């Protein structure tokens, strides 16, 4: 391919909403566009192409998209830096859910494509360029695997990276749109994941976060022709030279199997911080959500994880005000939180998603009650998070140094528990895991100093 020059370079602006999977997808979209001469720009103004990579999990998600499209309509009327008209695209889960409706409500949109079809983006652009005014919609779930059509080499900056290993969901929780927007559970082959991880490490990545809607449901085909679990995949990744840390998200309690629990005890590279959504502490509400586990089953899973890895910390997701939730059932959620203890968590008021079974359930909880319950839950969760963070003060933690800090001579990294850690140090430490003595906590960030090295450690540094 010929090298692009400034005269034929086009600018793309990608605005990403929602989860880590969308962050990964946006990076891969850019990679499909680079061979067409596109470069990323931080501002929509003057861009040749603007992509809104959308999320449909929360209430009013689509309203935010249409609001942004309205804001962009004026910018679209002005010429791009290359002298042409700005092209607008809506991608992701709102695109998948609403499809042609987006073109009706926002006629200025040129392309609509779902999370399984962004590998066709160059083709969509070519058609849009060739057929002026012919708007493109790609929301069918394709037969082909998009990963087979994406550039194999990724260009990444930084020492951490996301790596998608699994997509889709077969769980059909009654409140969730993911099975309808991302499709059924699909797992990438082990060899493809290892190649992508090796390429990332070669560029300086020292930590990968394995992504999936139900990442611990991973069942990709291994080099031996058999299905591998996430635990077995983690063991293979832990053997890659230069890969210091492995994380994964998001998990489902039903898929937390023996092999993965054992991996937490066996693999130092597998970080002792796990996001394991439970949603509620009430068995009746869990059944209405179609979670297919009870509160006590969740407790037993946590007990087994902590037995395998005593320093493991947990985060979770909670929904308050699910249809029919009583005060007593909400109290069961507070009891579960108190029993387990979480280092951090995400909590939300229930909001009906169109097309999901829960959206037609009776006994809606009043908005004021939802707000009161969310405030009570957040007060408990925030107290637990503060206690966990305070408990790190005085400890020596391994910190992956990621980048310079705001102040001269300052560096920022992450603890095993994903907390930001600020230390003084030189730029040559970026990309290294450094033992740090934690001195203080300010807001949600830890502050410390590099631990004194032994003569043997200094010799190896």
């Amino acid at each position: 391919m010929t090298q692009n020059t400034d005269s034929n370079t086009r600018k793309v602006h990608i605005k990403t909403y929602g989860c880590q999977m969308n962050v990964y997808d946006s990076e891969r979209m850019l990679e499909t566009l680079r061979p067409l001469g596109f470069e990323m720009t931080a501002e929509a103004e003057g861009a040749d192409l603007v992509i809104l990579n959308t999320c449909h999990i929360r209430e009013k998600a689509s309203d935010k998209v249409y609001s942004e499209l309205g804001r962009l309509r004026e910018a679209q009327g002005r010429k791009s830096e290359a002298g042409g008209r700005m092209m607008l695209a809506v991608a992701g889960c709102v695109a998948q859910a609403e499809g042609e409706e987006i073109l009706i409500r926002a006629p200025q949109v040129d392309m609509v494509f779902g999370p399984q079809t962004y590998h066709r983006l160059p083709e969509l652009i070519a058609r849009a360029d060739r057929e002026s005014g012919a708007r493109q919609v790609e929301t069918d779930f394709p037969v082909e695997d998009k990963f087979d059509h994406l550039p194999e080499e990724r260009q990444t900056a930084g020492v951490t990276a996301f790596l998608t290993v699994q997509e889709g969901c077969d769980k059909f929780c009654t409140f969730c749109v993911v099975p309808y927007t991302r499709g059924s559970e699909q797992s990438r082959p082990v060899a493809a994941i290892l190649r992508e991880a090796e390429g990332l490490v070669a560029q300086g990545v020292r930590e990968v976060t394995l992504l999936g809607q139900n990442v611990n449901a991973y069942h990709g085909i291994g080099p031996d022709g058999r299905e591998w679990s996430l635990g077995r995949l983690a063991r293979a990744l832990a053997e890659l030279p230069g890969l210091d840390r492995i994380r994964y998200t998001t998990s489902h309690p039903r898929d937390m199997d023996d092999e993965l629990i054992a991996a937490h005890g066996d693999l130092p590279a597998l970080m002792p911080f796990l996001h394991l959504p439970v949603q509620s502490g009430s068995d009746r509400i869990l059944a209405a959500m179609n979670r297919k586990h009870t509160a006590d089953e969740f407790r037993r899973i946590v007990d087994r994880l902590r037995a395998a890895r005593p320093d493991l910390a947990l985060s979770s997701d909670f929904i308050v005000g699910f249809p029919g939730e009583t005060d007593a059932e909400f109290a069961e959620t507070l009891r579960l939180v108190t029993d387990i203890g979480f280092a951090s968590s995400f909590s939300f008021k229930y909001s009906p998603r169109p097309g999901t079974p829960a959206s037609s359930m009776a006994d809606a909880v009043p908005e004021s009650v939802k707000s009161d319950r969310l405030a009570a839950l957040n007060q408990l969760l925030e107290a637990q998070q503060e206690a966990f963070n305070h408990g790190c003060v005085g400890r020596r933690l391994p910190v992956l140094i990621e980048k310079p800090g705001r102040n001269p001579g300052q560096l920022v990294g992450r603890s095993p528990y994903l907390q930001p850690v600020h230390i003084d140090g030189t730029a040559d430490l970026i990309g290294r895991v450094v033992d740090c003595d934690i001195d203080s906590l300010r807001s949600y960030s830890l502050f410390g100093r590099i631990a004194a090295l032994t003569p043997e450690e200094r010799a190896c540094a």
Side-chain angles (χ1 to χ4, degrees):
M1 187 181 74
T2 58
Q3 183 70 28
N4 292 311
T5 63
D6 289 343
S7 61
N8 63 11
T9 293
R10 294 192 282 181
K11 300 291 186 182
V12 57
H13 174 75
I14 305 177
K15 183 168 183 175
T16 306
Y17 301 79
C19 67
Q20 297 101 324
M21 187 80 78
N22 270 11
V23 175
Y24 176 90
D25 287 346
S26 291
E27 291 176 2
R28 302 311 305 269
M29 286 180 205
L30 180 60
E31 288 159 17
T32 69
L33 292 170
R34 282 198 176 106
L36 304 182
F38 281 94
E39 290 182 355
M40 184 69 117
T41 179
E43 301 295 333
E45 188 72 30
D48 300 281
L49 170 63
V50 174
I51 302 173
L52 304 183
N53 191 12
T54 62
C55 174
H56 206 255
I57 292 295
R58 300 293 162 215
E59 187 180 17
K60 299 181 180 177
S62 60
D63 290 345
K64 292 180 182 178
V65 174
Y66 289 114
S67 175
E68 182 68 9
L69 288 172
R71 189 184 69 80
L72 289 168
R73 185 189 295 116
E74 183 179 345
Q76 191 183 34
R78 297 187 284 272
K79 289 188 179 296
S80 71
E81 289 183 8
R85 172 184 170 274
M86 176 194 291
M87 224 184 272
L88 280 181
V90 179
C93 291
V94 171
Q96 186 68 44
E98 302 205 5
E100 297 272 359
E101 178 67 20
I102 293 173
L103 300 184
I104 295 171
R105 291 185 59 181
Q108 71 272 31
V109 172
D110 298 279
M111 292 174 284
V112 177
F113 53 93
Q116 303 305 332
T117 53
Y118 64 76
H119 62 288
R120 297 179 181 172
L121 186 50
E123 178 186 341
L124 296 177
I125 291 172
R127 288 208 304 260
D129 284 343
R130 186 172 60 248
E131 306 165 17
S132 179
R135 295 178 293 166
Q136 311 296 320
V137 178
E138 285 275 3
T139 54
D140 292 335
F141 289 108
V143 175
E144 76 271 16
D145 186 343
K146 70 183 179 188
F147 292 101
D148 292 338
H149 299 269
L150 294 173
E152 190 156 308
E153 291 188 10
R154 290 179 59 186
Q155 295 183 28
T156 188
V159 299
T160 67
F162 294 128
L163 200 172
T164 292
V165 301
Q166 181 271 346
E167 284 196 274
C169 181
D170 295 342
K171 301 299 188 288
F172 289 94
C173 297
T174 56
F175 56 82
C176 186
V177 297
V178 166
Y180 313 104
T181 58
R182 288 274 181 175
S184 61
E185 291 177 359
Q186 303 290 333
S187 297
R188 296 178 65 190
V190 171
I193 294 167
L194 293 179
R195 280 197 305 271
E196 187 169 338
E198 288 168 350
L200 292 170
V201 171
Q203 295 180 67
V205 168
R206 296 294 171 258
E207 174 184 295
V208 296
T209 300
L210 309 179
L211 299 181
Q213 267 76 42
N214 282 315
V215 68
N216 57 338
Y218 177 81
H219 56 275
I221 300 300
D224 56 3
R226 299 182 179 182
E227 285 190 352
W228 284 29
S229 69
L230 185 66
R232 189 170 181 186
L233 175 64
R235 290 180 189 276
L237 286 165
E239 294 176 0
L240 294 181
L243 184 59
D244 297 321
R245 292 182 164 186
I246 301 166
R247 304 183 188 273
Y248 61 91
T249 194
T250 289
S251 310
H252 196 292
R254 287 163 55 190
D255 295 312
M256 190 58 64
D257 61 24
D258 293 344
E259 190 167 20
L260 185 54
I261 292 173
H264 274 281
D266 297 341
L267 302 178
L270 190 55
M271 290 293 94
F273 183 66
L274 174 61
H275 185 66
L276 190 62
V278 62
Q279 308 299 355
S280 174
S282 160
D283 288 347
R284 193 191 72 81
I285 294 297
L286 288 170
M289 290 177 168
N290 196 37
R291 294 290 290 175
K292 296 186 178 176
H293 64 79
T294 66
D296 279 345
E297 285 169 345
F298 184 85
R299 288 181 174 93
R300 287 195 292 273
I301 291 168
V302 171
D303 287 343
R304 292 174 62 207
L305 282 161
R306 286 175 167 161
R309 186 75 186 256
D311 62 341
L312 183 118
L314 291 165
S315 68
S316 196
D317 290 344
F318 296 91
I319 294 173
V320 302
F322 191 80
E325 183 188 60
T326 65
D327 288 342
E329 287 164 341
F330 172 66
E332 290 175 354
T333 296
L334 296 179
R335 182 163 67 88
L336 181 140
V337 172
T338 301
D339 289 348
I340 290 177
F342 294 93
S344 67
S345 280
F346 302 93
S347 52
F348 308 93
K349 292 188 288 186
Y350 170 75
S351 61
R353 310 310 300 128
T356 60
S359 65
S360 59
M361 289 182 179
D363 300 323
V365 176
E367 198 65 28
S368 60
V369 174
K370 289 184 193 177
S371 297
D372 289 345
R373 289 177 184 172
L374 183 64
L377 177 59
N378 281 341
Q379 184 178 23
L380 177 57
L381 291 170
E382 288 168 7
Q384 289 187 346
Q385 181 174 7
E386 186 174 2
F388 180 83
N389 288 339
H390 272 294
C392 292
V393 176
R395 293 179 61 187
R396 179 170 293 182
L397 296 176
V399 176
L400 175 60
I401 307 300
E402 296 184 5
K403 59 186 179 181
R406 291 183 179 178
N407 302 320
Q410 189 181 66
L411 300 173
V412 181
R414 295 275 177 175
S415 77
Y417 305 107
L418 270 181
Q419 301 142 308
V421 180
H422 302 260
I423 64 168
D424 290 333
T426 53
D428 60 299
L429 293 177
I430 293 173
R432 290 177 53 185
V433 178
V434 179
D435 282 343
C436 296
D437 291 326
I438 305 302
D439 296 325
S440 63
L441 169 70
R442 303 175 205 168
S443 186
Y444 295 103
S445 294
L446 301 175
F447 287 76
R449 50 197 162 76
I450 299 173
L453 300 178
T454 66
E456 293 80 8
E457 290 172 329
R458 278 195 293 269
C460 295

